[in-house]
Amino acid sequence: MSLPADCQTAIDALPASLRARVQQQAEDFFARAADVQLPVALVQQLPSVWATSPFVAGLCLRYPYWLGEFSTDEGVGTPAPENYSKLAYEAVAQAEDIPSLKRVLREIRQQCMLRLAWRDLADLDDLDTTLNGLSAMADALVDAALNWLEIQQIERHGQPLDSKGQPIRLVVLGMGKLGGRELNFSSDIDLIFAYSEAGQTDGPKPLSHEQYFRALAQQLVQVLNERTEHGFVFRVDTRLRPFGDSGPLVMHFAAMEQYYQLHGREWERYAWIKARPIAGDLAEGARLMDHLRPFVYRRYLDYSVYDSLRDMKGMIERETIRKGMQANIKLGRGGIREIEFIAQVYQLIRGGQDRALQARGLRRVLSLLGHSDLLPDAAITELDSAYVFLRRLENRMQAYADHQTHDLPRDSLAREALALAMGFDAWETLEAETARVRESVYGHFRGVFGSTTGEAGEAGDGESERASIKALRVLWLGQSDASQAEVLLSELGYEDGEQSLKDLTALRESGRFRNLGETARRRINDCVPLLIQAAAQTASPSLVLRRMLKLLQALSGRTTYVALLVENPTAIPQLARLCAASTWIAEEMVQHPMLLDSLLDPRILYSPPRRPELQQDMADQIAQIAADDLESLMDHVRRYKQLAVLRVAAADVSNAVPLMVVSDHLTEIAEVVLEHALSVTESQLQQRHGLPVRADGTQAGFAVLAYGKFGGIELGYGSDLDLVFVHDGESTASTDGDRAVSHDVYFNRLGQRLIHFLSAFTPAGRVYEVDMRLRPNGESGLLVPNFDALASYQREHAWTWEHQALVRARPVAGSHELADRFNVLRQEILCRSRDAQQLRQAVIDMREKMRKSLEQREAGMLDLKQGSGGIADLEFVTQYFVLRSSQQYPELARYTDNIRILDALGECGLWSPEDVQAMSDAYRAMRKQIHLVALQASPALVPEAMFADEVGQVRDLWQRMMLSSDAP
C-alpha cells in the first residue's frame, strides 16, 4: 500500500541499511491502522524513531491504536510527572487477581515507555525531562502495585499497628538512579524495604510485622520482576539492603540504624547518597532518611572517602579490563560512573557541612560544585556536557531493543541506528566523539582521584620528584643511617637537620603513632615525606617542620584530615607557608583541624571577604540548619568565624592587606557574628515567651554596644569583646506569649543566652570571650539595664574612666532606635564642660593605676601596650582631649577609632600637624607589631631599641600634654 507522503519522504531519507525494515514496518502499520488519524508531526517523526528503535516499532505494530490515543500536535504526548500516579492507580484498580495485576502493570509500563522513548528519539524532550519521566513512571507503578497488594494482605492478616495503635505501612526506598530521579530506559530498580517498628497485625490470622512486611515485599518484587508473556515491569535488585543477599529482606528502623552504626561500610555511604522514599509511607521514609543522614554525611570534612572511592573505581576498572568491557560507557574509562564519582566524592566530603550538597541529582550537584568554586567552571561545563551526551547515548542504546546494555554496539545495523539517533552522519563520527568525551571525563577524573590502576606517570620532573619522595619516605620510616639522613636534610636546606631528625623520630616512635590502625599509619606515612619536602621550601625548614609535625600529631587520631593533605597537592605548600609565617595560625589549625580545608584554594585563602560577603555567607550557612538546632547553629558560627579570621591572618602575613584593613576585617567579622548570634537567640526566646510589647503596642528593643578595641574598630587576633547590653522595655510590661515574662526578665535572659552563644565552649571551640564589666556598676550591675537607667548612670554616677571608655563605644547590633538614642547620649556626655585640671589628673591617676597592674616588665624589653610610651599612653592622651575639648569641637566625639580622632585633633587645631603625623605613625607601627607578635603567639614585648624613636615621641607628647605645668 502507499504510505502518507510525509512518511515516505522521511523513509527515503534514511540510511539504506535501515530503510527496508522501516518501509515494511510502516506499510504493515498503516494497513492495520487505516482508520487511525495521526497528526502530520507524528507521521514525519515515525520513520526516524522506528529506524533507531525496533522496540518502539514493535510496540506500535503490536498495539496499532496506541499512537492515535497518545498523539498530539507535536507528535506523541506524555503525562506530566505528577499524573503518572493517577494513571497507574486507575489501571491497577481494574485488576481482580495477581495475574491481572501483572498484566495491567506491564501494559502501563509499555505504554509509558513507548511515549517516553518516542519523545526522546524525536528530540521533543531534553535529558532531564526524559529521566524524570522514567523515574516518575517507576515511582507510580511501584506504589500502585504495593497499594493493591497491601489491601489483599490486610484482608488476610489484619492491619499492622504501632505502639500507639496507629496503622503502619511498608517503606520502599529507591536507590541509585531511581532515587536520584535519573532512571534510564532499561534500568534495574534498586529497592530497600523497611518498616517503623516491631509488633503484630490485628487480624484473625495475625502475623508479626517482620513476617507481614517480608511477605508483602516478596510479593511486590515478584509482581514487578517476573517475566510473563507481557514482559516485565522492572528488574528489581534488593542487594543494597543491610547484609546484602544474606540479610533480611525487610528490617525495622531501629535494626537498620544499628546496622549502619555498627557495620556500615564506605560503599554503602556512597549507595545512600541518592536514596529516596518512593512508595508506601513516604513520611516515615523521610524520617528514616533523617536518622541515617549522619551515617552518610559526616559532620566533619571527610577526605577519607578518596581512598574508598578510588579503590572502588580501581576494582571496576580491573573488572572491565578482565571482561573486555572497555566499550562500556557506564563503567569503562571516562564513563558515566567516573562523573558520578567526581560529584559524589565532594558530596561525601562536604555534605555534612553543606546541606545543599546532599542533593540527589548529579547535574544539580555539579552546578553546586561550580557555585562553591570546588571545581573550575570549565570543568563543570565539560563534565555536565559529557554527562548529558553519555546518558543520551545510554538511553538510545537501550531504547533500540529494550535491553539493559552499556556497551557500544558491535552490530553494524545497531551502530548505524545509534549514529542516526544521536544526530551523527556516520558511526565513525559518533565513535570518535564518544572517545573524545570519555577522554575528557577521564582527564577530570584523574585530576580529582589520580590513577586508580597504577599506571606509570610521565617522565621528566615527575620521576625526579617521585625519587625524592621515596628517599624522604625511607628517611621518615627510619630505614636509613642517621648520618645519611642528616646529610639529606642538610642538602634540602634544613638549618638543624639533627633536631629535625629527632622530631621525626619522636613522632614515629610515639605511643600514639604506634597504636594507630593500618589505614591511619599508611596515610601518615604518605603525608610526612610531603611535609619534609614542603618545609624545605621555606626560610626556616626545621622550625616549620616542627610546627607541622605538631599539627600532624594532633591529627593522628582523625586521619580524614591527613587524607585532606595527601589528596590535595596545593594544601601542604600552603600549610608550610602559613606555619612559617605564624605560630598562631599553626596553633589555630591544631585546635580546629577543619581550618585545613581553607588551604585548598589560595584564591580564597588570601582574599578575606568584606562585610556584605560575610553577611551573605553567614546567612547561607545558617539557612541550612533547622532554627531549633542550637548546637549546630553554634558550631557553624564558630567554624565560620575561625575560617574568616584565618583568611585575614593569611592575607596579613603575606602582606596582601595593610594594618588598618586587618583590624577592619577582624571587626567586621565580629559584627557579623554578633548580628547572627543575636538573631538566633532572640528568635528562640521569642518562640518561648513571645514579643516584648510595650503598653502602647510597640515592640521594645535590645541593643549591643561595643567598647574598647571592638568599639574602636581595632580588634586584633584573639581579642575578646567588651560589650554592654541595653533595652528600652517597661518594668511593668510583659511579653505577649503563652509563657509571658516581664520585660526585665526577658531581656536579662536574652543577654545571658547571647553571652552563652558567643562564649560557651563546644566541640568547635568558642567564638569570643565576652567581657561585660563596662556596664553600669560593673559586675554588680544589671546584666541588661534599661536605657533610661544607663543614661542616668552616665549623667550622674559614671567615673571619669567610664567616660573615657565611652570615647570608644558604639552600637553594633540590635535596635536601630536604641542605637540612635545611645549615639545622642554619647555625644551629650562627651561634649560636657569639664574642669581641664581635674580631668587631666583623673586620667593620669587611672593611667598609672593601669600601668602598675597590667604592665609586663622584663629587663631591656618594652611592653608595647602598657609600657611608658606605649599604645595605652597614646590612647589616654587622645581620650583626655576628646573629653576636654568636645564641647568646643563636637566633631572630636564623632569617631571611636584613634587614627580618626588624631586626624580630628589636627583639623581642630588642638595638635600640630607634626604631632598628629608622628603619633599616627607611632600608633600604626606599634599596632602592626602587636598583630605580628599575636600571630607568633607571643606577648607584646619587644626590645626597647626596636621602637626607641616612636616611644620617645609618645613620651615627649605625654610630658607636654599631660605632665607639664603649661600643658594645654
Side-chain angles (χ1 to χ4, degrees):
M1 65 167 292
S2 61
L3 299 177
D6 289 330
C7 181
Q8 188 62 61
T9 300
I11 290 174
D12 292 341
L14 293 174
S17 58
L18 303 175
R19 194 182 306 145
R21 172 176 62 81
V22 176
Q23 180 77 40
Q24 185 61 55
Q25 288 174 331
E27 291 175 359
D28 291 348
F29 172 78
F30 282 103
R32 296 183 195 180
D35 56 342
V36 176
Q37 297 297 314
L38 300 178
V40 171
L42 188 149
V43 171
Q44 293 172 335
Q45 295 160 8
L46 183 149
S48 63
V49 170
W50 284 14
T52 53
S53 177
F55 163 67
V56 170
L59 283 177
C60 294
L61 289 168
R62 186 174 180 182
Y63 305 103
Y65 293 94
W66 279 3
L67 279 185
E69 295 173 13
F70 302 156
S71 64
T72 65
D73 289 342
E74 63 175 355
V76 166
T78 189
E82 61 272 15
N83 291 332
Y84 279 103
S85 183
K86 179 175 181 290
L87 182 69
Y89 267 80
E90 288 177 351
V92 165
Q94 304 168 22
E96 299 176 353
D97 52 23
I98 293 288
S100 60
L101 174 66
K102 293 178 181 178
R103 177 182 53 78
V104 297
L105 287 171
R106 283 151 180 76
E107 186 173 287
I108 290 296
R109 186 259 185 186
Q110 289 172 339
Q111 290 178 1
C112 293
M113 289 290 286
L114 167 61
R115 298 162 77 171
L116 287 162
W118 188 291
R119 292 184 62 82
D120 179 58
L121 294 167
D123 288 323
L124 298 177
D125 290 334
D126 61 19
L127 175 68
D128 290 338
T129 301
T130 300
L131 301 184
N132 197 39
L134 289 162
S135 303
M137 172 191 72
D139 289 358
L141 291 174
V142 174
D143 192 54
L146 174 62
N147 185 68
W148 191 96
L149 293 168
E150 206 169 27
I151 292 171
Q152 314 305 312
Q153 187 92 326
I154 291 172
E155 288 179 357
R156 288 194 295 274
H157 301 291
Q159 180 80 54
L161 305 173
D162 65 15
S163 57
K164 297 178 181 179
Q166 298 300 309
I168 63 175
R169 299 185 65 201
L170 185 69
V171 171
V172 183
L173 299 168
M175 312 293 283
K177 288 185 171 65
L178 176 57
R181 292 190 171 90
E182 298 167 341
L183 206 63
N184 58 29
F185 276 118
S186 194
S187 285
D188 292 352
I189 57 172
D190 295 295
L191 303 181
I192 291 179
F193 302 109
Y195 57 98
S196 57
E197 61 183 77
Q200 184 171 288
T201 62
D202 64 353
K205 296 180 179 180
L207 294 175
S208 70
H209 286 180
E210 194 276 332
Q211 292 172 313
Y212 173 91
F213 287 117
R214 182 178 68 237
L216 185 58
Q218 286 171 337
Q219 282 188 314
L220 179 61
V221 171
Q222 195 262 343
V223 162
L224 297 171
N225 194 67
E226 182 183 355
R227 183 175 290 276
T228 72
E229 68 272 21
H230 302 288
F232 63 93
V233 186
F234 292 104
R235 291 175 294 272
V236 179
D237 192 332
T238 62
R239 291 174 296 176
L240 292 179
R241 69 186 186 270
F243 300 110
D245 276 343
S246 62
L249 182 61
V250 186
M251 294 177 74
H252 60 77
F253 287 6
M256 289 191 79
E257 290 176 44
Q258 184 179 37
Y259 167 83
Y260 288 111
Q261 183 177 3
L262 298 178
H263 306 290
R265 290 158 291 181
E266 286 296 315
W267 70 262
E268 289 177 295
R269 292 179 60 202
Y270 168 80
W272 274 85
I273 286 177
K274 293 186 178 182
R276 174 175 62 90
I278 65 157
D281 195 327
L282 301 183
E284 282 297 286
R287 184 168 72 88
L288 174 63
M289 294 290 299
D290 283 340
H291 288 176
L292 296 181
R293 195 180 309 277
F295 164 70
V296 184
Y297 298 106
R298 306 291 161 80
R299 295 180 67 177
Y300 49 82
L301 292 171
D302 186 10
Y303 279 86
S304 64
V305 300
Y306 270 109
D307 274 349
S308 56
L309 287 181
R310 185 186 289 115
D311 290 346
M312 194 185 309
K313 183 61 173 70
M315 286 191 295
I316 292 172
E317 284 189 11
R318 290 188 291 274
E319 190 69 4
T320 56
I321 292 171
R322 186 180 69 82
K323 294 184 176 180
M325 297 167 58
Q326 289 87 336
N328 189 300
I329 65 167
K330 175 182 178 182
L331 302 178
R333 171 170 162 157
I336 295 167
R337 183 57 53 84
E338 288 187 1
I339 305 175
E340 293 174 335
F341 275 18
I342 291 171
Q344 289 160 351
V345 71
Y346 287 103
Q347 289 184 277
L348 290 175
I349 289 171
R350 298 171 176 274
Q353 290 189 5
D354 187 348
R355 291 288 293 268
L357 285 176
Q358 296 179 15
R360 296 183 180 96
L362 185 139
R363 297 188 72 192
R364 170 63 178 156
V365 174
L366 286 176
S367 175
L368 290 168
L369 295 179
H371 291 318
S372 303
D373 289 328
L374 294 172
L375 283 176
D377 289 342
I380 297 297
T381 300
E382 288 185 18
L383 288 169
D384 183 73
S385 175
Y387 181 75
V388 171
F389 177 87
L390 292 173
R391 287 304 307 272
R392 290 181 74 87
L393 185 64
E394 174 189 52
N395 267 342
R396 292 172 182 191
M397 285 161 52
Q398 295 182 353
Y400 181 75
D402 194 25
H403 288 163
Q404 187 183 38
T405 179
H406 300 94
D407 290 335
L408 292 170
R410 296 180 180 180
D411 176 76
S412 60
L413 290 179
R415 285 182 167 185
E416 194 147 10
L418 184 58
L420 178 64
M422 292 296 292
F424 287 83
D425 57 3
W427 164 253
E428 291 74 18
T429 312
L430 171 60
E431 187 177 37
E433 177 62 11
T434 303
R436 186 199 66 77
V437 169
R438 293 178 64 181
E439 197 58 34
S440 169
V441 170
Y442 185 65
H444 290 297
F445 180 82
R446 283 286 302 271
V448 173
F449 287 95
S451 174
T452 59
T453 56
E455 301 169 352
E458 294 180 3
D461 292 341
E463 289 182 1
S464 173
E465 184 173 343
R466 283 191 296 277
S468 174
I469 292 295
K470 185 176 180 180
L472 294 176
R473 187 183 183 91
V474 169
L475 182 153
W476 153 244
L477 294 174
Q479 297 170 349
S480 59
D481 180 81
S483 59
Q484 291 177 331
E486 287 182 31
V487 169
L488 175 57
L489 291 173
S490 178
E491 289 174 349
L492 287 171
Y494 276 76
E495 71 274 25
D496 191 348
E498 181 181 1
Q499 182 58 53
S500 295
L501 194 58
K502 289 179 180 178
D503 293 338
L504 290 165
T505 303
L507 175 60
R508 187 180 66 248
E509 295 183 354
S510 67
R512 190 167 188 174
F513 178 74
R514 290 177 178 275
N515 292 327
L516 292 175
E518 181 182 349
T519 299
R521 240 192 315 222
R522 174 171 53 81
R523 287 181 181 155
I524 290 178
N525 289 341
D526 290 340
C527 186
V528 172
L530 300 175
L531 297 182
I532 299 172
Q533 185 182 59
Q537 306 305 312
T538 67
S540 304
S542 295
L543 175 64
V544 172
L545 180 63
R546 180 177 299 174
R547 290 175 178 174
M548 291 199 292
L549 291 179
K550 182 178 180 181
L551 172 61
L552 189 62
Q553 186 169 25
L555 297 177
S556 60
R558 308 168 71 180
T559 55
T560 180
Y561 294 111
V562 182
L564 179 154
L565 295 174
V566 173
E567 297 291 353
N568 294 278
T570 63
I572 290 180
Q574 299 300 331
L575 176 63
R577 183 181 306 173
L578 294 177
C579 285
S582 169
T583 303
W584 180 86
I585 292 177
E587 291 293 337
E588 280 291 288
M589 291 188 176
V590 169
Q591 295 297 320
H592 310 295
M594 295 186 72
L595 293 175
L596 290 170
D597 182 51
S598 63
L599 302 174
L600 304 184
D601 192 345
R603 296 170 304 168
I604 296 174
L605 178 61
Y606 296 100
S607 57
R610 296 310 300 257
R611 185 185 182 91
E613 186 181 344
L614 285 167
Q615 289 176 312
Q616 186 60 54
D617 287 350
M618 178 72 83
D620 291 344
Q621 291 209 14
I622 294 297
Q624 299 182 44
I625 308 170
D628 59 351
D629 189 353
L630 183 61
E631 181 181 353
S632 293
L633 288 166
M634 291 173 69
D635 281 347
H636 267 70
V637 169
R638 280 152 176 74
R639 287 192 288 265
Y640 185 81
K641 180 256 184 178
Q642 291 154 7
L643 176 57
V645 172
L646 176 66
R647 291 174 64 179
V648 175
D652 188 5
V653 299
S654 64
N655 295 315
V657 292
L659 162 71
M660 304 309 293
V661 178
V662 169
S663 288
D664 289 348
H665 279 298
L666 295 173
T667 301
E668 288 173 356
I669 291 167
E671 290 171 353
V672 170
V673 165
L674 188 58
E675 288 171 358
H676 282 274
L678 178 58
S679 174
V680 168
T681 51
E682 198 167 34
S683 174
Q684 293 190 339
L685 197 62
Q686 288 173 1
Q687 289 179 10
R688 184 176 181 84
H689 298 297
L691 299 174
V693 179
R694 303 189 189 96
D696 63 2
T698 59
Q699 182 177 335
F702 174 93
V704 181
L705 312 175
Y707 282 69
K709 289 186 178 69
F710 190 17
I713 318 175
E714 295 167 351
L715 279 182
Y717 302 107
S719 292
D720 58 6
L721 302 185
D722 292 300
L723 302 179
V724 171
F725 302 149
V726 64
H727 74 88
D728 59 1
E730 299 170 341
S731 59
T732 58
S734 300
T735 59
D736 63 357
D738 294 336
R739 300 179 181 179
V741 294
S742 70
H743 284 187
D744 289 338
V745 170
Y746 173 87
F747 286 115
N748 188 64
R749 289 182 181 175
L750 179 56
Q752 290 172 335
R753 287 182 176 224
L754 182 55
I755 292 172
H756 173 76
F757 190 104
L758 294 170
S759 60
F761 278 101
T762 76
R766 177 168 64 184
V767 189
Y768 291 103
E769 188 171 346
V770 176
D771 191 335
M772 301 292 299
R773 290 176 294 179
L774 288 175
R775 67 185 187 270
N777 296 308
E779 291 180 336
S780 64
L782 291 173
L783 181 65
V784 190
N786 181 277
F787 181 81
D788 292 337
L790 173 71
S792 174
Y793 180 86
Q794 287 288 349
R795 290 175 179 136
E796 301 171 18
H797 305 291
W799 296 80
T800 298
W801 67 265
E802 290 178 291
H803 287 171
Q804 282 182 251
L806 205 61
V807 171
R808 290 159 67 81
R810 63 190 178 92
V812 289
S815 164
H816 295 297
E817 179 183 348
L818 269 175
D820 292 341
R821 292 179 67 187
F822 174 78
N823 286 331
V824 171
L825 172 65
R826 176 179 176 275
Q827 193 78 7
E828 171 199 327
I829 299 298
L830 297 183
C831 292
R832 276 184 174 182
S833 174
R834 292 177 172 86
D835 180 275
Q837 193 59 39
Q838 291 180 0
L839 174 64
R840 182 184 293 110
Q841 192 59 50
V843 171
I844 291 171
D845 291 345
M846 177 53 65
R847 178 70 195 100
E848 288 306 310
K849 181 179 180 181
M850 179 184 292
R851 194 193 319 277
K852 288 178 181 178
S853 63
L854 298 178
E855 183 180 9
Q856 302 179 77
R857 294 176 177 85
E858 186 176 326
M861 303 295 285
L862 168 70
D863 183 340
L864 281 175
K865 293 181 180 178
Q866 298 297 337
S868 173
I871 280 181
D873 282 358
L874 185 48
E875 290 175 340
F876 268 59
V877 73
T878 58
Q879 290 163 12
Y880 161 73
F881 272 90
V882 171
L883 294 177
R884 196 204 71 170
S885 303
S886 288
Q887 184 184 40
Q888 182 179 1
Y889 302 103
E891 56 267 42
L892 289 175
R894 182 180 308 161
Y895 302 113
T896 63
D897 61 290
N898 279 295
I899 292 296
R900 286 189 291 185
I901 291 174
L902 287 170
D903 289 342
L905 288 170
E907 291 168 3
C908 294
L910 297 172
W911 286 21
S912 69
E914 293 77 16
D915 280 339
V916 170
Q917 188 64 52
M919 292 305 101
S920 297
D921 290 346
Y923 187 72
R924 288 191 178 98
M926 287 189 276
R927 282 271 313 283
K928 175 66 174 177
Q929 185 63 29
I930 287 173
H931 277 314
L932 291 175
V933 297
L935 287 172
Q936 297 305 331
S938 301
L941 290 173
V942 298
E944 290 179 345
M946 182 181 292
F947 285 91
D949 291 345
E950 292 86 353
V951 167
Q953 290 171 332
V954 174
R955 287 173 178 169
D956 174 68
L957 183 86
W958 181 267
Q959 178 68 34
R960 286 188 286 114
M961 301 292 191
M962 303 298 291
L963 302 179
S964 173
S965 59
D966 59 348

